[in-house]
């Protein structure tokens, strides 16, 4: 008799993904009690709008980080010269800014609160300030953006918060022997932005990985005096060696994973902040997330018991870009039909995967199915009885309960592309159920082993075991420029399978074979070319203990790079401007052009020059994809699943070419 098996391997170009980790204890009991009371509205809302905006939108580059460094105690080393960046405000005239329209866009997107960058790390203030003349009142626009947004939000009943950077990379006193003078000015800014605009619901501090010299006790006291019921994030206390998943002060209410979905945590409040595009401030012709992607991210965050603060970057004229507004409108439309499974819920009881998450409220559990493979879903048993089942998205669902687990069956016609939401009503409170690991028939066994032909810099963090560890955030990676590679998995015992699925986020693989070992020989049981997202195939049943993915050819990229901002690759003949995605934690190790190796610093200078060229401007206007000559990368990461006939595999996450094993 054949057993159900899902085989998934993972390979990806190096990309740092910091998993949310537990921080210190939450603080005294009275602080914890205050926190739970004050964050009630915030936890109920679950979904907020982040807005990063300022004069930097005129350049289309990243806010603050694109500014050149003028203080060695600060981390920014951007390409825009200080004398240029600091005078952008003189040309900033967003005549189409309409605070009520911003609020209406957030409401249409189903967002329950808004957070604006009243002051980012570059020090520019979006309100009329007496503490610093570097503010919106001294631009051609002159109007008080914070004041107008506060009025519009209050009129609409929208919760409002300010992002406030305690750092000021422009201030020459910051982190020097004159830091006390800086702190005094900073606290005057806090006094203004929290004291002049009525009720402010949330304060979102930031950090930069350097020493936090902000007179925290008095700064917190000032904030609580001005807005006693305000919700505050965790970043005022973070510094060198800390993580954004730590809560280090009883005054901090929640922690803040950035650009990633936090791990399941129903003990400490948390909020993922993430961009709709590829950078925080507005970027011309940016690649933005689809409606489906946003819905999946929202469901996975809330299923992990967190909030999602989704960022948009308004344009230089003050409007939220129509493309971004349309995505939000479609997400809002989905929430109109499915909002009961998001708003006011807690995560669980089933811990989230990339394919399935759950939320709960009262006696109800909501199952969000994000990826389908067949019509059946297998879940662990519940300690309470299901008295009713229904699809919020329409259609029928049947539920079979046994001592070993639940089986949910939904006809393929009733599954939805974005998110199929199943509501299970129990005979008691769903909140009382402890969190449950989703251990499908495809869960990896500890006796499995993986080996590979190549590992990125021989770093165990990217080793072959990461392809089969069941963690969606890890992967096997190869060195830059690798065009051929193999990943072999020992299943521990012979297993029979007859189907596979592969999700490839970045179309790198050009040809591959799937092989099994028979009497010391490798035999091919499937061969293909490109993979792409949700690739699947059926084949005659195969019984084997050792299985191998053999990548015969892959598109080659610039070695060992991942890019966050637009970058410029200089060839012998021309400039080719390319887009990509870069994690802040990565470092530009090497840049080869005109037959020589350039340092990261040299590359920055080249980029700064190239950005002023007509070629770069033309590329931004065109919105085209990466030029073919500039496309190239190592073999990356994929989920591959092998399953037996009539069995439903568990779907794993896709990060580029991503293959995972589950048995």
């Amino acid at each position: 008799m054949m057993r159900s098996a899902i085989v998934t391997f993972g390979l990806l170009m190096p990309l740092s993904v910091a998993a949310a980790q537990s921080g210190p204890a939450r603080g005294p009991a009275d602080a914890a009690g205050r926190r739970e009371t004050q964050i009630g509205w915030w936890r109920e809302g679950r979904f907020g709008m982040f807005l990063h905006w300022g004069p930097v939108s005129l350049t289309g580059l990243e806010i603050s980080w694109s500014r050149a460094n003028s203080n060695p105690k600060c981390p920014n080393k951007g390409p825009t010269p200080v004398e240029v960046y600091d005078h952008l405000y003189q040309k900033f005239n967003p005549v189409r800014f309409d605070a009520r329209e911003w609020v209406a866009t957030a409401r249409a997107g189903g967002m329950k609160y808004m957070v604006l960058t009243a002051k980012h790390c570059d020090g520019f203030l979006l309100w009329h300030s007496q503490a610093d003349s570097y503010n919106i009142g001294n631009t051609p626009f002159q109007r008080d953006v914070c004041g107008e947004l506060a009025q519009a939000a209050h009129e609409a009943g929208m919760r409002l918060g300010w992002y406030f950077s305690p750092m000021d990379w422009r201030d020459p006193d910051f982190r020097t022997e004159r830091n006390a003078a800086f702190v005094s000015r900073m606290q005057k800014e806090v006094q203004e932005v929290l004291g002049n605009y009525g009720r402010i619901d949330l304060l979102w501090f930031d950090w930069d990985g350097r020493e936090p010299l902000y007179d925290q006790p008095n700064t917190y006291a000032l904030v609580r005096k001005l807005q006693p019921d305000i919700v505050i994030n965790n970043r005022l206390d973070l510094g060198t060696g800390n993580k954004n998943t730590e809560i280090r002060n009883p005054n901090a209410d929640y922690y803040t994973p950035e650009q990633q979905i936090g791990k399941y945590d129903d003990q400490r409040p948390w909020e993922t902040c993430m961009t709709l595009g590829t950078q925080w401030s507005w970027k011309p012709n940016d690649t933005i997330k689809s409606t489906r992607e946003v819905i999946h991210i929202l469901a996975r965050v809330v299923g992990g018991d967190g909030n999602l603060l989704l960022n948009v970057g308004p344009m230089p004229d003050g409007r939220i870009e129509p493309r971004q507004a349309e995505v939000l409108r479609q997400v809002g439309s989905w929430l109109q039909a499915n909002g009961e499974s998001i708003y006011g819920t807690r995560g669980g009881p089933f811990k989230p995967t990339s394919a399935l998450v759950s939320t709960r409220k009262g006696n109800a559990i909501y199952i969000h199915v994000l990826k389908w493979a067949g019509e059946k879903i297998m879940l662990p048993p519940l300690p309470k009885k299901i008295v009713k089942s229904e699809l919020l998205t329409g259609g029928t669902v049947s539920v079979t309960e046994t001592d070993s687990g639940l089986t949910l069956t939904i006809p393929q016609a009733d599954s939805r592309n974005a998110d199929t939401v199943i509501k299970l009503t129990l005979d008691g409170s769903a909140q009382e159920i402890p969190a449950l690991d989703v251990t499908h028939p495809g869960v990896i066994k500890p006796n499995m082993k993986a080996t590979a032909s190549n590992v990125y810099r021989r770093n165990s963090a990217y080793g072959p075991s990461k392809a089969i560890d069941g963690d969606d955030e890890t992967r096997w990676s190869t060195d830059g420029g690798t065009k051929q590679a193999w990943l072999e998995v020992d299943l521990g015992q012979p297993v029979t399978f007859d189907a596979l699925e592969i999700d490839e986020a970045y179309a790198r693989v050009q040809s591959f074979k799937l092989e099994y070992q028979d009497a010391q020989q490798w035999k091919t049981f499937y061969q293909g070319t490109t993979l792409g997202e949700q690739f699947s195939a059926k084949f005659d049943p195969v019984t084997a203990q050792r299985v191998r993915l053999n990548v015969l050819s892959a598109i080659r990229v610039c070695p060992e790079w991942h890019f966050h901002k637009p970058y410029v690759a200089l060839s012998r003949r021309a400039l080719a401007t390319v887009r990509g995605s870069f994690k802040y934690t990565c470092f530009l190790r090497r840049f080869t052009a005109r037959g020589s190796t350039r340092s990261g610093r040299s590359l920055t200078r080249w980029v700064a020059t190239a950005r002023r060229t007509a070629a770069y401007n033309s590329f931004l206007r065109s919105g085209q994809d990466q030029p073919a000559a500039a496309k190239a990368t190592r073999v990356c990461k994929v989920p591959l699943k092998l399953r037996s006939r009539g069995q439903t595999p568990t779907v794993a996450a896709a990060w580029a070419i991503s293959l995972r094993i589950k048995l």
Side-chain angles (χ1 to χ4, degrees), residues 13 46 93 183 294 309 312 339 492 496 578:
M13 61 182 91
R46 285 308 192 192
N93 191 20
V183 169
V294 174
L309 188 62
V312 297
T496 301
V578 185

Side-chain angles (χ1 to χ4, degrees), residues 485-501:
W486 54 258
L487 176 68
E488 178 186 328
V489 177
D490 186 337
L491 304 176
Q493 62 183 6
V495 176
T496 301
F497 47 85
D498 67 349
L500 66 86
E501 296 179 5

Side-chain angles (χ1 to χ4, degrees), residues 119-418:
K119 175 196 174 186
H120 207 269
C121 309
D122 58 10
F124 185 77
L125 311 179
L126 285 176
W127 73 90
H128 291 169
S129 173
Q130 300 301 313
D132 193 335
S133 62
Y134 189 47
N135 70 72
I136 193 71
N138 291 316
T139 67
F141 187 58
Q142 297 185 332
R143 288 158 47 189
D144 189 326
V145 170
C146 288
E148 293 186 26
L149 184 60
Q151 181 178 350
H154 293 154
E155 290 173 352
M158 175 68 72
R159 296 279 186 169
L160 179 65
W162 303 133
Y163 166 112
F164 182 89
S165 169
M167 303 86 68
D168 189 335
W169 296 341
R170 175 178 169 272
D171 194 312
D173 294 338
F174 180 45
R175 290 182 177 140
T176 69
E177 66 278 3
R178 302 179 303 278
N179 193 69
F182 158 75
V183 169
S184 177
R185 289 192 293 273
M186 182 268 288
Q187 290 175 340
K188 289 178 182 177
E189 294 169 355
V190 172
Q191 173 84 41
E192 291 178 341
V193 79
L194 293 184
N196 295 344
Y197 301 109
R199 188 197 72 220
I200 302 300
D201 301 290
L202 188 148
L203 188 59
W204 211 100
F205 286 117
D206 207 351
W207 69 307
D208 63 1
R210 304 293 176 91
E211 192 174 5
L213 303 175
Y214 315 124
D215 184 20
Q216 284 91 323
N218 287 319
T219 298
Y220 275 125
L222 176 62
V223 172
R224 295 289 182 197
K225 177 182 177 181
L226 294 167
Q227 298 284 343
D229 297 325
I230 200 166
V231 176
I232 306 174
N233 75 344
N234 64 325
R235 296 194 176 194
L236 185 64
D237 306 286
L238 301 184
T240 306
N242 296 141
K243 297 180 182 296
N244 56 29
T245 53
E246 299 178 39
I247 297 178
R248 303 182 62 81
N249 192 299
N251 283 289
D253 295 311
Y254 64 96
Y255 65 89
T256 50
E258 182 170 329
Q259 294 287 44
Q260 64 171 350
I261 297 171
K263 299 290 187 180
Y264 183 90
D265 185 352
D266 58 10
Q267 300 301 304
R268 301 179 304 144
W270 60 274
E271 174 190 72
T272 280
C273 57
M274 188 175 290
T275 54
L276 184 57
T278 62
Q279 68 180 30
W280 295 102
S281 54
W282 180 72
K283 177 180 175 180
N285 301 302
D286 198 5
T287 299
I288 64 173
K289 295 176 176 64
S290 66
T291 302
R292 182 175 183 269
E293 287 177 296
V294 174
I295 291 171
H296 280 206
I297 292 166
L298 176 61
R300 292 177 64 189
V301 167
V302 178
D305 208 31
N307 279 28
L308 175 62
L309 188 62
L310 185 66
N311 181 77
V312 297
M315 298 189 296
D317 65 5
R319 293 175 299 146
I320 294 175
E321 184 180 328
R323 289 188 308 148
Q324 298 189 27
E326 176 59 20
V327 169
L328 297 183
R329 187 195 65 77
Q330 292 178 17
V331 173
S333 178
W334 180 86
L335 281 166
Q336 285 182 351
N338 300 279
E340 70 172 90
S341 69
I342 298 293
Y343 304 127
T345 65
R346 298 295 301 268
F350 303 111
K351 291 184 180 180
T353 70
S354 63
L356 182 146
V357 301
S358 66
T359 57
R360 48 182 156 175
K361 177 169 54 179
N363 287 14
I365 295 175
Y366 301 90
I367 308 296
H368 295 255
V369 185
L370 308 180
K371 294 182 182 180
W372 282 97
E375 299 180 346
K376 296 182 183 294
I377 302 166
M378 307 294 293
L379 292 170
L382 290 170
K384 297 184 183 293
K385 183 178 177 58
I386 298 172
V387 297
K388 183 181 178 181
S389 61
E390 58 185 304
L391 289 181
L392 294 189
T393 45
T396 61
V397 55
S398 65
V399 180
T400 302
E401 292 185 85
T402 66
D403 292 340
S404 60
L406 305 177
T407 301
L408 309 180
T409 304
I410 299 175
Q412 186 174 0
D414 292 335
S415 63
R416 298 294 182 266
N417 180 51

